[in-house]
Amino acid sequence: MSATPISPERRKQIVKVIFISLLLDLISFTFILPLFPKLLEFYRNQESQQGSSNSVLNRIFLGLNSYKQSFARPIGDRYDIVLLGGAMGSLFSLLQAIASPFIGSLSDQYGRRTALLWSMAGNIASVALWLAATDFRTFLASRVVGGLSEGNVQLATAMAADISDEKQRGPTMALVGVCFSIAFTFGPALGAALANVETIAANPFATAAGFSLFLIVIETIYLYIYLPETLPASRKTASGVSSKDAKAPATHSRTNSHLLLNFTHFVFILFFSGMEFSFPFMTYDLFAYTSSQSGKLLGFIGLIASILQGSVTRRLHPLRVVQIGVIACAASFFLLGRLTTERGLYGAASLLAVTTATVVTGLNSLSSFEAEEGERGGKLGNHRSWGESNANSLIPAPATGSLTVIQGQLGRSCGPLLFCTLYWWAGRDVAYAIGGAGMLGVCALVFGGLRAPLKSLQN
């Protein structure tokens, strides 16, 4: 027996709560993105002044330097901070790959609302540690806690699927993507501005951390007051139908196996995350870009992606959305490998904006069509774990229940290291050519393997 349908008014109210809370969460989450270089440099200088040669940070730098020396092309010391930021991003993704399936499965068992509030408690602890981080060890602890507890996007996407029928699911998923694009357009700029306001000498970034904590606390209170349970099983109980009286649900017919969806997500993120991580190297080497110029470029990508998600993505079938995105991504790889002008760079950025607005949103929608009501949180979480984006991502993709999430996070943990190695051993042209060839393989999976779910065609 299916869950009791939600009235249009009730659904509209829940979508509003999801949108506002997710926007608050992601704006807070993106504060730290432009601060990473200066933040890590601050801790490095701090430990150099203290003369602590056996500290956690110095041991990490020794490991990174050993890794750099293995390249045929030497990497200058100016990239130490970039490499460390990438390593921390990979750590964050790996921790999310571990935690996301559990968060998704717990939400299937105990409810989305309960799982989300526990996730928010972890987020509050993570940002509070950042606020108190007067040394690198505390800051590292904040990232570990954040990686293990971050489930907001994953659960928001699962809730959006809970309250949407087959016709509504694609547009609702696109709204989640709009939150990402808006947050990644304005959040980093706000974080950079707040970092210029020094309130605690021992932690120059305390103002940004404090405001981030304020937003997270407000979001938690808002969710506690206004968010109802959306898990379909809870609506059955609320309707007065006991489990004994309920008829056995009809057999769920799947068009695409979760294995195929997860593998597609994994391969896509594997190549795409490598390209993302190489972006700072490339823009610095070719055009000597500063942090503000890089922020402007990312803001351009976020703005275009927001427009596309709000106007195009939500109106197209999820499969068509994915097809458009992977073609644009393959084209951007080949263009990035050969461009010589800033006009070409912004042309590639436009293609990346199309990818940002489409691929992961479409794959999440397809995965939600293939999941039964009782397993939606778990399946979507695994999907995200195999291929989801992280805090350093150009394409912050929504997290859903469990299989969808593991593939993305694992891909993002491996992609930067592999692509960086290729970039410095063989050069930009070869690295992006191989990346483009890999993305053509993803196109083959999408066009040759994925099909439109039957439910998505009924309306």
Side-chain angles (χ1 to χ4, degrees):
M1 176 178 176
S2 61
T4 304
I6 297 180
S7 67
E9 294 77 14
R10 183 65 165 168
R11 181 181 180 279
K12 184 177 180 180
Q13 178 187 1
I14 295 174
V15 169
K16 177 183 176 182
V17 173
I18 293 173
F19 185 87
I20 292 176
S21 64
L22 189 57
L23 192 58
L24 288 173
D25 184 78
L26 291 172
I27 289 176
S28 169
F29 185 70
T30 57
F31 275 5
I32 199 171
L33 299 188
L35 308 183
F36 258 117
K38 287 187 176 180
L39 194 149
L40 296 175
E41 186 175 355
F42 164 75
Y43 290 124
R44 181 175 65 174
N45 294 338
Q46 179 192 63
E47 297 197 1
S48 296
Q49 293 172 1
Q50 294 174 351
S52 177
S53 60
N54 198 36
S55 65
V56 174
L57 184 58
N58 277 326
R59 288 200 298 268
I60 292 174
F61 273 123
L62 285 174
L64 288 176
N65 284 326
S66 298
Y67 175 68
K68 288 195 306 180
Q69 299 308 315
S70 67
F71 292 114
R73 299 185 180 191
I75 305 177
D77 291 341
R78 66 182 184 272
Y79 291 122
D80 283 354
I81 296 298
V82 177
L83 288 170
L84 177 58
M88 293 192 67
S90 293
L91 173 64
F92 190 90
S93 294
L94 180 61
L95 293 172
Q96 284 212 298
I98 295 171
S100 293
F102 292 100
I103 294 174
S105 296
L106 288 174
S107 77
D108 285 337
Q109 185 174 359
Y110 298 105
R112 314 287 191 225
R113 185 177 185 273
T114 300
L116 182 54
L117 290 175
W118 277 108
S119 176
M120 292 304 303
N123 288 343
I124 290 174
S126 172
V127 181
L129 282 171
W130 179 28
L131 178 62
T134 57
D135 55 50
F136 178 75
R137 182 177 298 179
T138 306
F139 176 72
L140 181 61
S142 76
R143 301 304 294 168
V144 170
V145 172
L148 291 173
S149 61
E150 176 59 48
N152 305 51
V153 183
Q154 167 183 345
L155 295 172
T157 310
M159 289 187 291
D162 289 340
I163 62 173
S164 304
D165 59 27
E166 285 71 24
K167 185 176 181 180
Q168 299 166 329
R169 192 160 299 160
T172 306
M173 293 289 186
L175 282 178
V176 176
V178 169
C179 286
F180 275 99
S181 298
I182 293 174
F184 274 70
T185 300
F186 299 105
L190 182 57
L194 290 171
N196 292 324
V197 181
E198 184 173 326
T199 53
I200 301 176
N203 183 2
F205 307 95
T207 304
F211 196 74
S212 177
L213 181 61
F214 170 75
L215 291 180
I216 291 293
V217 171
I218 292 297
E219 179 195 357
T220 304
I221 296 172
Y222 179 70
L223 287 170
Y224 183 82
I225 296 174
Y226 293 106
L227 180 67
E229 181 54 65
T230 65
L231 190 65
S234 70
R235 301 205 299 271
K236 296 175 189 177
T237 302
S239 66
V241 180
S242 68
S243 58
K244 293 182 180 179
D245 297 332
K247 297 180 180 179
T251 302
H252 183 77
S253 177
R254 289 187 174 128
T255 305
N256 301 299
S257 71
H258 281 289
L259 179 62
L260 176 60
L261 287 167
N262 294 336
F263 182 70
T264 303
H265 200 194
F266 170 75
V267 177
F268 168 75
I269 291 295
L270 181 69
F271 286 101
F272 191 86
S273 64
M275 180 276 296
E276 288 177 315
F277 183 60
S278 70
F279 221 63
F281 294 100
M282 187 198 66
T283 55
Y284 183 88
D285 284 340
L286 289 182
F287 308 111
Y289 261 27
T290 62
S291 297
S292 61
Q293 288 173 307
S294 296
K296 179 182 177 182
L297 181 62
L298 294 179
F300 172 79
I301 293 174
L303 178 61
I304 298 299
S306 297
I307 295 172
L308 291 174
Q309 285 175 322
S311 59
V312 178
T313 302
R314 60 188 307 226
R315 290 180 168 85
L316 295 178
H317 188 280
L319 181 57
R320 180 58 57 84
V321 164
V322 176
Q323 291 171 341
I324 292 173
V326 294
I327 290 175
C329 189
S332 69
F333 263 98
F334 291 115
L335 182 56
L336 286 169
R338 303 187 65 83
L339 63 86
T340 56
T341 65
E342 286 192 79
R343 179 177 296 182
L345 178 63
Y346 271 83
S350 300
L351 292 171
L352 293 177
V354 175
T355 304
T356 301
T358 53
V359 177
V360 178
T361 298
L363 286 174
N364 283 336
S365 296
L366 291 174
S367 184
S368 70
F369 278 114
E370 306 297 352
E372 297 184 50
E373 289 180 348
E375 62 177 5
R376 187 171 290 142
K379 294 298 185 185
L380 290 175
N382 282 332
H383 177 70
R384 180 174 182 256
S385 177
W386 279 91
E388 197 49 67
S389 1
N390 70 6
N392 301 313
S393 175
L394 300 175
I395 159 179
T400 50
S402 338
L403 264 187
T404 320
V405 183
I406 298 178
Q407 282 82 338
Q409 297 296 357
L410 287 179
R412 188 162 294 283
S413 298
C414 302
L417 179 63
L418 295 175
F419 198 86
C420 179
T421 301
L422 182 62
Y423 187 99
W424 288 105
W425 272 351
R428 175 173 66 102
D429 296 355
V430 174
Y432 283 113
I434 293 177
M439 201 54 62
L440 289 179
V442 177
C443 290
L445 284 173
V446 170
F447 283 90
L450 296 182
R451 292 178 294 164
L454 296 177
K455 286 186 176 182
S456 70
L457 300 175
Q458 290 174 356
N459 293 306

